[in-house]
Structures are given as structure tokens and as C-alpha cells.
Amino acid sequence: MADFGLRAYQREVVERALKRENVIIWLPTGGGKTRAAVYVAKRHLETTENAKVMVLVNKVHLVDQHYTKEFEPHLGDRYKLMKVSGESEEKDFFGKAVQTMDLIICTAQILYNALINKEEARHIELSDITLLIIDECHHTHKESVYNKIMRCYIAQKLKGQQPIPQILGLTASPGTGGAKILDDAVMHVLEICANLDSVIVSAKNYTPELEEKVPRPKKTFDIVEKRKTDPFGDHIKWMMELIHGYMNLPSDVRLRECGTQEYEADVVILEQRGVREDNRLLAQCALHLRQYNDALLINDTLRMMDAYRSLEEFYNAKNATAIDGTDYFLVGLFQENQMELRNIATDPQFENPKMARLESTLLGQFGPDVQSRGILFSRTRKSTHCLLDWVQKNRPLQKAGIKAAILTGAGNGITYMTQNEQAGTIRNFRNGKLNLLISTSVAEEGLDIPECNLVVRYGLLTNEIAQQQASGRARARDSQYSVVAQAGGREVRRERINEYLEELTGKAIARVQGMSEDQFRRKITEIQTHAIIKSKVLEARLTEKKNQYAASSVEILCRNCFAPVASGNDFKLLENSHYVNINPAFRKYYKLGGKVVLEKRFEDWEPGCTVSCNNGNCNKDWGFEMKYKEVALLPNVAIKNFALQTPAGRTTVKKWKDVPFMVEEFSFQQYCEENFPDLFD
């Protein structure tokens, strides 16, 4: 192992894996879990006949990172390696491609799709794999794709079906699963072990070396006193009270305090109720209240002007889509108060004191002649954009030489980053062109980001796993981990709770590691057996729910104007991921917008234009058209933008998987026969 560059504590944690035991390696962020996994993979390939190693990750960008940084440099000269994600052509013949490779790095979804797809070119069996490495394996719970894969594994194991692969899980923290007491935390750790059919190992004999390699940062609470006056927030709350009065709140509704996430949850439920009860006034008022509440949350964390602009942006769009008296009242209310809000937002005497505290925290580590590197964590993509604008316009921060950029999750949309943009930002951070990343939680987990001497958590309420991962980013000598928060605020309380939960996680793992082999195995088998039974019951219930109504008996309505636009049986499932409307009559209900541009290309389809409701002035966004096999132009829509009128009443769902009727698979041949009958005579 010495020639591989493993440290003593890494050699310790791989010992049982090298004996072909199923193992979860628990090491802190920066402790070298992936390097340890590469070594286990190397030894496995050297000593196993017909070896096939599969490395699973939970985020697309980690496929390339693990391949380029770890596995290819150490194994690429002797073995055939392949990386596959949703963007790779190999996913379309994954089963065939896997046969010729020694080691495959892919997203978990790719493997799960291959396990359930019976098409020969795409299908593989768990028995085809000899070692399965699962990165960030604490996600192996509930309905995560990791857990779906492991359920297939556990079902085969309990039936005695062999062979099944060896399992190697990697995590910086399994967490407590929300548990606050030791017995419950122990149960959570046992469930993670059961789900992965693995023991959990950690550094015991070489902890001083681990602590030397991964030093704990100095933690500071940079506390700000509460604003003495907040006229901007007060004015918004006054406007919200006017809306409460206008909407005539139902007597059984009790909204919690404005400017909190609890209030946001209340108005989300209120909007759903408005849709269900065909009460557009209630639904629209709830939507607008959510925007005002969002502005209060922004005002609490960022600049007043950021909060004002979020409202201005929302109402600029709403102004052109008013369709009834409710809309005219809500848009008019903002317009009447717009100038007053703007005047307050531009008055520096009322500015958020947290921003000044954040400035001093950053200046404590950055300066013209200081080589610093930091990450500023914030809650939302919108807040990262606001913070970048603030940094770039802040003279003291610019004089201190701060060169900042945003790092957020990959996806489609204005506030998302493409994967190329992500990679470029991290590359610039690594080579020193940037020295401050302003990031959402995407930088907490997995990403190969160089050592920082400052990590700031700003306006965040997260769990103990996220806190530990963020803290682990401050790995430079004498680094600082700062929590900028209001005195007596919820962020400080949450941070203290997380410290306790981190300690509780360690105690729970020690308790599990202290169990006798027989006691541990009995408990794991019991949990696994119960989990399989539970999953079968839930599956039966889901099937029952799916068959609740005939698709033809469900009417689909626009969620904004409530106009009926389609029937449930107009929709088909294309390639197990796109829900498309195949009825040509649907075309008259929508209008086309701008062209959708996606970073990646797809084998069988390409995006067209956005589609939105064509009912008068509604303009509710629905989705986009897609061209399939260069022939079929199909509207691909999100069900969250619609309401469902069922025989039992109206309802809403967030995702297509939750609709109470079966959606049949799309048949390209049938579509062509029905739409181009002359060609099939």
C-alpha cells in the first residue's frame, strides 16, 4: 500500500474491504475516502477473476471528477475504464458497453435504469458486477436511487441468489436521520448499514495522523444585533395584511409569522386549497403572499434592494398576465406602493447590518497582499447572485483583492449553471484566478475543491451532515469557519444543535461498532427483512393509487386560469422520462415562446420552444415542445403547472409519478400511424 501513497489511517479503514467484506468507510471531508476506494478497486481487479468494478455517484459532475482526478491516473494504464452519465451516448447501450470494461464510473440512475430495463443492449444484472463502490453513501435511504439499487441487492441476498457484488460505501457522515437521542441515532446508523449490507469502519489506531491531515478549522460566530428599525420589512408586512383582508381567509386557517419558512409552507398549502376548491382568489393571493414572504426572507439576509428587485421582477411579469379582478387588485397594490418601497430600499440608514458584518468577516481573511481562498455558502441560487453583485460593487472588498464567482447546481434555466460553467469556475478557483466562491450546497458535498482558509455560512439552516461537509472545506492551516448570524437567531441555534448531532453521530457509530458480530448481523437481517416487506406494501399502494381513476375520466386544467385543456389519456410516457401530450387538438390551447437551449445533446430528441397557456391573458408556463426522431413535435409539460379534475374533485400534484391514473408508454409507430395515415395504407 505504501507505493500507492496511502496514509496509515487509510490503510486501516480498507483492511476489511480487502478481505472482501462489505464496508462503509467513514472519514471526514478531505480525509481521502476516494483514494482509499481506488486502492480497494485496484486490489480487487488484481485478485478477482472476471472482475467488474462499478463506481456510483449521486451527481453528474462527480462522474468526470472521479474519473479524471482519481481512477484514470491510477488505473488507466492497466485497465479499461469508462465514465457514463445522462449526457453520454454509452447510456443507450450500457449493457453492451459494460461487458468490455473493467471499471465503470456512472451516476446511480444509469445503473438503476439498466437493472430495470429488459432491452438486451441496455440491461445488466447485479451479478455482472463484482465490486460496487457507492460515493456519498449516506444518501442510501428512503426512495433515493441508491436505495432502490440496494433493495434489488438485498432482495437477491435474502433469497440466497448468488453471485452478488461486494459493497464499498464512502461517507463523511451518516448523520442521525433527525434523531436527537442516542438510541434513535444508533437505529439510524444501523439502517444505513442494513441498506448497504455493510459494517461501518473508521480510523481508530491512527487518529492523530488523521487530525494532522484534516485539521479542524477555528469556528467563530460573527453575531449581529437585530435591526433597530426595519421600515422596508414593516411596509411589506402591512401590504400582506391588506391581502389577508382582501382574500377573506377561511376561518380554519391560521397563518404563522410573516417572513419565516413556516409562513411559506402555510401559503403553499393555501394555494393548493384554492385550486382544489375552484377559488382562484384564494389561490392567487396565496401565490402573491409567497412572493412577499420571499422578499422578507431576502430583506433579512441580503440588501433591501435585492428584496425590492425580487418583487419588481415578479410584478413586471404579472402586469402583462392579469385576467380578472383579483389580479388587478394584487398588481395594483404593488404599483401603488412601489415608489415608497424603492425609496426605503435606497436609504442607507436602514440597510441590513448583516451585510456589514459579512464584509468585516471577509476582510479579516482577505487583503491586497494576503493569499486567501474562501467559500461563502448561501441558501438559494437567487441569493448567490445577489451576493456576487454586492461583492463586485463593494469597494473595500474589491480593494482587498477579492475575485468572486458563483457556484450553483447544474440544470436548465437562468439561475442554473451548465456543467461546463461549473467546471470552469472550479478550475479558475484552483488556479488562483478566483479566490472566493459564492455557493449553494453544491460545494458542500463531493466536489474536488482546493483547501480553503475561510468558510462562511450565511443565512443557512441545514442539517449536521451539510454542516460537517461545509466545515471540511476549511482545510488549510489556521483556517476559519464563520457563521454570520443575528443575535439569538435561528441560524445560531441550528448550528449549536448540529454540533450536538455531530457528536451524537460519533457516539452512535461507536455503539454500532461495539456490537458483537452475531448481534450486528441479526439486527441487520431484521431491518432488511422489514424494509423489503414495507417496500412491497408501498409498491402495492402506489399501483392502487395509479389505478384510482381511468385516465379518460381525469380532466387537466391550467393551474392559473382553471381552463380545461386536456384529458388524462392524452398524455404518454416517452423513454421513461418525458410526459408528452399526443393529442393534436392540444395545440390550440397553448402558444409558443422562445427557443429552449440545452447544453447537452440527445440521441432521439431536441428541444423546441416554450409553451404557455393560450387562454386570454393567462400565459401560464407549461413546459416546452420537443421534436422526437425528427418527426413528432410533442408538448412536454410539467404536471405542477396544472390542476387535475378527478371524479372525486379537484387536486394538484408536484410530479407526474403522483398522478392518480396510469400513463401509458408512448408508441412511436402508433403515433405515426395515427398522424400520418396515408403513409401506412
Side-chain angles (χ1 to χ4, degrees), residues 371-399:
Q371 293 295 310
S372 283
R373 189 182 264 141
I375 305 179
L376 169 56
F377 285 106
S378 190
R379 191 169 73 93
T380 64
R381 288 187 299 275
K382 186 187 286 183
S383 65
T384 63
H385 285 266
C386 295
L387 285 166
L388 177 64
D389 180 68
W390 169 73
V391 167
Q392 291 175 337
K393 290 176 179 174
N394 184 298
R395 285 184 183 174
L397 296 182
Q398 290 306 300
K399 278 186 180 177

mmCIF file of all heavy atoms in Angstrom, residues 371-399:
data_model
loop_
_atom_site.group_PDB
_atom_site.id
_atom_site.type_symbol
_atom_site.label_atom_id
_atom_site.label_comp_id
_atom_site.label_asym_id
_atom_site.label_seq_id
_atom_site.Cartn_x
_atom_site.Cartn_y
_atom_site.Cartn_z
ATOM 1 N N GLN A 371 -2.674 35.851 0.526
ATOM 2 C CA GLN A 371 -3.118 34.771 -0.359
ATOM 3 C C GLN A 371 -4.201 33.962 0.361
ATOM 4 O O GLN A 371 -3.908 33.050 1.116
ATOM 5 C CB GLN A 371 -1.938 33.853 -0.716
ATOM 6 C CG GLN A 371 -0.880 34.524 -1.573
ATOM 7 C CD GLN A 371 -1.410 34.908 -2.941
ATOM 8 O OE1 GLN A 371 -2.009 34.100 -3.626
ATOM 9 N NE2 GLN A 371 -1.198 36.160 -3.333
ATOM 10 N N SER A 372 -5.455 34.324 0.145
ATOM 11 C CA SER A 372 -6.560 33.630 0.799
ATOM 12 C C SER A 372 -7.461 32.981 -0.237
ATOM 13 O O SER A 372 -7.486 33.363 -1.407
ATOM 14 C CB SER A 372 -7.390 34.601 1.635
ATOM 15 O OG SER A 372 -6.732 34.907 2.837
ATOM 16 N N ARG A 373 -8.198 31.993 0.249
ATOM 17 C CA ARG A 373 -9.161 31.309 -0.606
ATOM 18 C C ARG A 373 -10.344 30.928 0.267
ATOM 19 O O ARG A 373 -10.157 30.339 1.330
ATOM 20 C CB ARG A 373 -8.499 30.065 -1.195
ATOM 21 C CG ARG A 373 -9.301 29.379 -2.269
ATOM 22 C CD ARG A 373 -8.579 28.134 -2.735
ATOM 23 N NE ARG A 373 -7.806 28.398 -3.927
ATOM 24 C CZ ARG A 373 -6.614 27.891 -4.166
ATOM 25 N NH1 ARG A 373 -6.036 27.130 -3.262
ATOM 26 N NH2 ARG A 373 -5.994 28.142 -5.290
ATOM 27 N N GLY A 374 -11.549 31.296 -0.158
ATOM 28 C CA GLY A 374 -12.714 31.049 0.699
ATOM 29 C C GLY A 374 -13.953 30.631 -0.065
ATOM 30 O O GLY A 374 -14.048 30.791 -1.282
ATOM 31 N N ILE A 375 -14.910 30.077 0.685
ATOM 32 C CA ILE A 375 -16.232 29.751 0.140
ATOM 33 C C ILE A 375 -17.285 30.406 1.025
ATOM 34 O O ILE A 375 -17.237 30.279 2.255
ATOM 35 C CB ILE A 375 -16.497 28.231 0.087
ATOM 36 C CG1 ILE A 375 -15.408 27.506 -0.690
ATOM 37 C CG2 ILE A 375 -17.858 27.951 -0.562
ATOM 38 C CD1 ILE A 375 -15.591 25.999 -0.757
ATOM 39 N N LEU A 376 -18.206 31.095 0.395
ATOM 40 C CA LEU A 376 -19.327 31.731 1.089
ATOM 41 C C LEU A 376 -20.585 30.942 0.724
ATOM 42 O O LEU A 376 -21.021 30.958 -0.423
ATOM 43 C CB LEU A 376 -19.434 33.197 0.653
ATOM 44 C CG LEU A 376 -20.669 34.004 1.042
ATOM 45 C CD1 LEU A 376 -20.894 33.997 2.548
ATOM 46 C CD2 LEU A 376 -20.544 35.438 0.533
ATOM 47 N N PHE A 377 -21.129 30.208 1.695
ATOM 48 C CA PHE A 377 -22.319 29.380 1.455
ATOM 49 C C PHE A 377 -23.583 30.188 1.728
ATOM 50 O O PHE A 377 -23.715 30.823 2.775
ATOM 51 C CB PHE A 377 -22.324 28.151 2.364
ATOM 52 C CG PHE A 377 -21.359 27.077 1.941
ATOM 53 C CD1 PHE A 377 -20.185 26.863 2.635
ATOM 54 C CD2 PHE A 377 -21.637 26.279 0.841
ATOM 55 C CE1 PHE A 377 -19.293 25.869 2.248
ATOM 56 C CE2 PHE A 377 -20.753 25.283 0.441
ATOM 57 C CZ PHE A 377 -19.580 25.075 1.146
ATOM 58 N N SER A 378 -24.516 30.122 0.785
ATOM 59 C CA SER A 378 -25.802 30.785 0.960
ATOM 60 C C SER A 378 -26.920 29.826 0.559
ATOM 61 O O SER A 378 -26.679 28.802 -0.082
ATOM 62 C CB SER A 378 -25.846 32.070 0.129
ATOM 63 O OG SER A 378 -26.980 32.833 0.471
ATOM 64 N N ARG A 379 -28.180 30.177 0.914
ATOM 65 C CA ARG A 379 -29.278 29.207 0.835
ATOM 66 C C ARG A 379 -29.783 28.961 -0.581
ATOM 67 O O ARG A 379 -30.068 27.831 -0.957
ATOM 68 C CB ARG A 379 -30.443 29.666 1.722
ATOM 69 C CG ARG A 379 -31.513 28.608 1.928
ATOM 70 C CD ARG A 379 -32.492 29.018 3.013
ATOM 71 N NE ARG A 379 -33.378 30.071 2.594
ATOM 72 C CZ ARG A 379 -34.590 29.870 2.052
ATOM 73 N NH1 ARG A 379 -35.030 28.653 1.848
ATOM 74 N NH2 ARG A 379 -35.348 30.886 1.709
ATOM 75 N N THR A 380 -29.942 30.006 -1.379
ATOM 76 C CA THR A 380 -30.611 29.852 -2.665
ATOM 77 C C THR A 380 -29.737 30.347 -3.814
ATOM 78 O O THR A 380 -28.788 31.115 -3.616
ATOM 79 C CB THR A 380 -31.928 30.658 -2.695
ATOM 80 O OG1 THR A 380 -31.618 32.058 -2.581
ATOM 81 C CG2 THR A 380 -32.856 30.248 -1.556
ATOM 82 N N ARG A 381 -30.085 29.908 -5.021
ATOM 83 C CA ARG A 381 -29.367 30.397 -6.207
ATOM 84 C C ARG A 381 -29.532 31.906 -6.338
ATOM 85 O O ARG A 381 -28.593 32.614 -6.695
ATOM 86 C CB ARG A 381 -29.898 29.680 -7.460
ATOM 87 C CG ARG A 381 -29.475 28.227 -7.549
ATOM 88 C CD ARG A 381 -29.872 27.628 -8.878
ATOM 89 N NE ARG A 381 -31.301 27.646 -9.088
ATOM 90 C CZ ARG A 381 -32.139 26.722 -8.658
ATOM 91 N NH1 ARG A 381 -31.660 25.688 -7.979
ATOM 92 N NH2 ARG A 381 -33.434 26.798 -8.885
ATOM 93 N N LYS A 382 -30.746 32.378 -6.048
ATOM 94 C CA LYS A 382 -31.001 33.823 -6.156
ATOM 95 C C LYS A 382 -30.075 34.594 -5.210
ATOM 96 O O LYS A 382 -29.504 35.621 -5.587
ATOM 97 C CB LYS A 382 -32.466 34.123 -5.819
ATOM 98 C CG LYS A 382 -32.857 35.577 -6.039
ATOM 99 C CD LYS A 382 -34.263 35.873 -5.529
ATOM 100 C CE LYS A 382 -35.329 35.307 -6.412
ATOM 101 N NZ LYS A 382 -36.702 35.654 -5.967
ATOM 102 N N SER A 383 -29.902 34.095 -3.989
ATOM 103 C CA SER A 383 -29.070 34.815 -3.014
ATOM 104 C C SER A 383 -27.603 34.825 -3.431
ATOM 105 O O SER A 383 -26.884 35.796 -3.172
ATOM 106 C CB SER A 383 -29.221 34.221 -1.608
ATOM 107 O OG SER A 383 -28.734 32.896 -1.547
ATOM 108 N N THR A 384 -27.140 33.768 -4.114
ATOM 109 C CA THR A 384 -25.738 33.779 -4.573
ATOM 110 C C THR A 384 -25.529 34.881 -5.609
ATOM 111 O O THR A 384 -24.490 35.542 -5.615
ATOM 112 C CB THR A 384 -25.310 32.416 -5.167
ATOM 113 O OG1 THR A 384 -26.098 32.119 -6.323
ATOM 114 C CG2 THR A 384 -25.425 31.302 -4.150
ATOM 115 N N HIS A 385 -26.510 35.084 -6.482
ATOM 116 C CA HIS A 385 -26.399 36.145 -7.490
ATOM 117 C C HIS A 385 -26.384 37.529 -6.828
ATOM 118 O O HIS A 385 -25.617 38.409 -7.226
ATOM 119 C CB HIS A 385 -27.551 36.048 -8.494
ATOM 120 C CG HIS A 385 -27.386 34.925 -9.476
ATOM 121 N ND1 HIS A 385 -26.807 35.077 -10.706
ATOM 122 C CD2 HIS A 385 -27.704 33.612 -9.376
ATOM 123 C CE1 HIS A 385 -26.783 33.914 -11.340
ATOM 124 N NE2 HIS A 385 -27.332 33.005 -10.552
ATOM 125 N N CYS A 386 -27.236 37.700 -5.815
ATOM 126 C CA CYS A 386 -27.273 38.983 -5.092
ATOM 127 C C CYS A 386 -25.958 39.245 -4.368
ATOM 128 O O CYS A 386 -25.436 40.369 -4.379
ATOM 129 C CB CYS A 386 -28.424 38.988 -4.081
ATOM 130 S SG CYS A 386 -30.068 38.908 -4.821
ATOM 131 N N LEU A 387 -25.402 38.201 -3.741
ATOM 132 C CA LEU A 387 -24.145 38.361 -3.003
ATOM 133 C C LEU A 387 -22.983 38.668 -3.945
ATOM 134 O O LEU A 387 -22.096 39.465 -3.613
ATOM 135 C CB LEU A 387 -23.845 37.105 -2.181
ATOM 136 C CG LEU A 387 -24.702 36.940 -0.916
ATOM 137 C CD1 LEU A 387 -24.595 35.529 -0.361
ATOM 138 C CD2 LEU A 387 -24.314 37.963 0.155
ATOM 139 N N LEU A 388 -22.973 38.040 -5.128
ATOM 140 C CA LEU A 388 -21.916 38.339 -6.102
ATOM 141 C C LEU A 388 -21.998 39.805 -6.533
ATOM 142 O O LEU A 388 -20.979 40.501 -6.591
ATOM 143 C CB LEU A 388 -22.042 37.427 -7.326
ATOM 144 C CG LEU A 388 -21.018 37.702 -8.429
ATOM 145 C CD1 LEU A 388 -19.597 37.419 -7.939
ATOM 146 C CD2 LEU A 388 -21.320 36.880 -9.683
ATOM 147 N N ASP A 389 -23.209 40.270 -6.797
ATOM 148 C CA ASP A 389 -23.400 41.675 -7.186
ATOM 149 C C ASP A 389 -22.890 42.606 -6.080
ATOM 150 O O ASP A 389 -22.224 43.610 -6.345
ATOM 151 C CB ASP A 389 -24.892 41.917 -7.452
ATOM 152 C CG ASP A 389 -25.173 43.352 -7.873
ATOM 153 O OD1 ASP A 389 -24.747 43.742 -8.974
ATOM 154 O OD2 ASP A 389 -25.821 44.089 -7.086
ATOM 155 N N TRP A 390 -23.174 42.247 -4.829
ATOM 156 C CA TRP A 390 -22.734 43.052 -3.677
ATOM 157 C C TRP A 390 -21.204 43.067 -3.577
ATOM 158 O O TRP A 390 -20.599 44.133 -3.400
ATOM 159 C CB TRP A 390 -23.358 42.479 -2.400
ATOM 160 C CG TRP A 390 -22.795 43.031 -1.130
ATOM 161 C CD1 TRP A 390 -23.003 44.278 -0.607
ATOM 162 C CD2 TRP A 390 -21.930 42.353 -0.199
ATOM 163 N NE1 TRP A 390 -22.325 44.420 0.583
ATOM 164 C CE2 TRP A 390 -21.662 43.252 0.852
ATOM 165 C CE3 TRP A 390 -21.378 41.078 -0.156
ATOM 166 C CZ2 TRP A 390 -20.855 42.909 1.943
ATOM 167 C CZ3 TRP A 390 -20.580 40.733 0.920
ATOM 168 C CH2 TRP A 390 -20.317 41.643 1.949
ATOM 169 N N VAL A 391 -20.576 41.902 -3.714
ATOM 170 C CA VAL A 391 -19.109 41.816 -3.625
ATOM 171 C C VAL A 391 -18.459 42.663 -4.720
ATOM 172 O O VAL A 391 -17.503 43.400 -4.477
ATOM 173 C CB VAL A 391 -18.633 40.341 -3.736
ATOM 174 C CG1 VAL A 391 -17.119 40.264 -3.958
ATOM 175 C CG2 VAL A 391 -19.009 39.570 -2.473
ATOM 176 N N GLN A 392 -18.998 42.560 -5.918
ATOM 177 C CA GLN A 392 -18.397 43.271 -7.051
ATOM 178 C C GLN A 392 -18.579 44.784 -6.974
ATOM 179 O O GLN A 392 -17.798 45.531 -7.553
ATOM 180 C CB GLN A 392 -18.978 42.730 -8.365
ATOM 181 C CG GLN A 392 -18.523 41.298 -8.657
ATOM 182 C CD GLN A 392 -19.180 40.700 -9.883
ATOM 183 O OE1 GLN A 392 -20.264 41.139 -10.303
ATOM 184 N NE2 GLN A 392 -18.565 39.686 -10.458
ATOM 185 N N LYS A 393 -19.594 45.232 -6.235
ATOM 186 C CA LYS A 393 -19.841 46.675 -6.101
ATOM 187 C C LYS A 393 -19.298 47.252 -4.789
ATOM 188 O O LYS A 393 -19.412 48.451 -4.545
ATOM 189 C CB LYS A 393 -21.351 46.952 -6.194
ATOM 190 C CG LYS A 393 -21.910 46.722 -7.592
ATOM 191 C CD LYS A 393 -23.417 46.902 -7.630
ATOM 192 C CE LYS A 393 -23.958 46.696 -9.047
ATOM 193 N NZ LYS A 393 -25.433 46.734 -9.093
ATOM 194 N N ASN A 394 -18.725 46.385 -3.962
ATOM 195 C CA ASN A 394 -18.243 46.801 -2.649
ATOM 196 C C ASN A 394 -16.766 47.204 -2.756
ATOM 197 O O ASN A 394 -15.897 46.366 -2.990
ATOM 198 C CB ASN A 394 -18.430 45.639 -1.660
ATOM 199 C CG ASN A 394 -18.034 46.008 -0.251
ATOM 200 O OD1 ASN A 394 -16.886 46.336 0.019
ATOM 201 N ND2 ASN A 394 -18.990 45.939 0.664
ATOM 202 N N ARG A 395 -16.489 48.481 -2.574
ATOM 203 C CA ARG A 395 -15.117 48.979 -2.787
ATOM 204 C C ARG A 395 -14.090 48.357 -1.849
ATOM 205 O O ARG A 395 -13.015 47.948 -2.292
ATOM 206 C CB ARG A 395 -15.103 50.509 -2.665
ATOM 207 C CG ARG A 395 -15.692 51.196 -3.886
ATOM 208 C CD ARG A 395 -15.577 52.699 -3.789
ATOM 209 N NE ARG A 395 -16.198 53.352 -4.924
ATOM 210 C CZ ARG A 395 -16.334 54.657 -5.035
ATOM 211 N NH1 ARG A 395 -15.883 55.454 -4.076
ATOM 212 N NH2 ARG A 395 -16.914 55.179 -6.098
ATOM 213 N N PRO A 396 -14.348 48.298 -0.530
ATOM 214 C CA PRO A 396 -13.346 47.672 0.359
ATOM 215 C C PRO A 396 -13.030 46.224 -0.039
ATOM 216 O O PRO A 396 -11.873 45.803 0.022
ATOM 217 C CB PRO A 396 -14.011 47.739 1.741
ATOM 218 C CG PRO A 396 -14.963 48.892 1.644
ATOM 219 C CD PRO A 396 -15.460 48.880 0.247
ATOM 220 N N LEU A 397 -14.053 45.461 -0.450
ATOM 221 C CA LEU A 397 -13.817 44.065 -0.839
ATOM 222 C C LEU A 397 -13.018 43.992 -2.136
ATOM 223 O O LEU A 397 -12.164 43.108 -2.302
ATOM 224 C CB LEU A 397 -15.149 43.316 -0.995
ATOM 225 C CG LEU A 397 -15.996 43.157 0.282
ATOM 226 C CD1 LEU A 397 -17.259 42.361 -0.007
ATOM 227 C CD2 LEU A 397 -15.202 42.471 1.407
ATOM 228 N N GLN A 398 -13.281 44.911 -3.052
ATOM 229 C CA GLN A 398 -12.521 44.930 -4.298
ATOM 230 C C GLN A 398 -11.072 45.355 -4.044
ATOM 231 O O GLN A 398 -10.141 44.801 -4.629
ATOM 232 C CB GLN A 398 -13.190 45.870 -5.311
ATOM 233 C CG GLN A 398 -14.525 45.348 -5.858
ATOM 234 C CD GLN A 398 -14.408 43.965 -6.454
ATOM 235 O OE1 GLN A 398 -13.665 43.737 -7.399
ATOM 236 N NE2 GLN A 398 -15.132 43.003 -5.877
ATOM 237 N N LYS A 399 -10.888 46.329 -3.118
ATOM 238 C CA LYS A 399 -9.527 46.756 -2.758
ATOM 239 C C LYS A 399 -8.749 45.618 -2.095
ATOM 240 O O LYS A 399 -7.530 45.536 -2.205
ATOM 241 C CB LYS A 399 -9.583 47.950 -1.802
ATOM 242 C CG LYS A 399 -9.795 49.286 -2.503
ATOM 243 C CD LYS A 399 -9.696 50.421 -1.488
ATOM 244 C CE LYS A 399 -9.910 51.783 -2.159
ATOM 245 N NZ LYS A 399 -9.878 52.871 -1.172
#
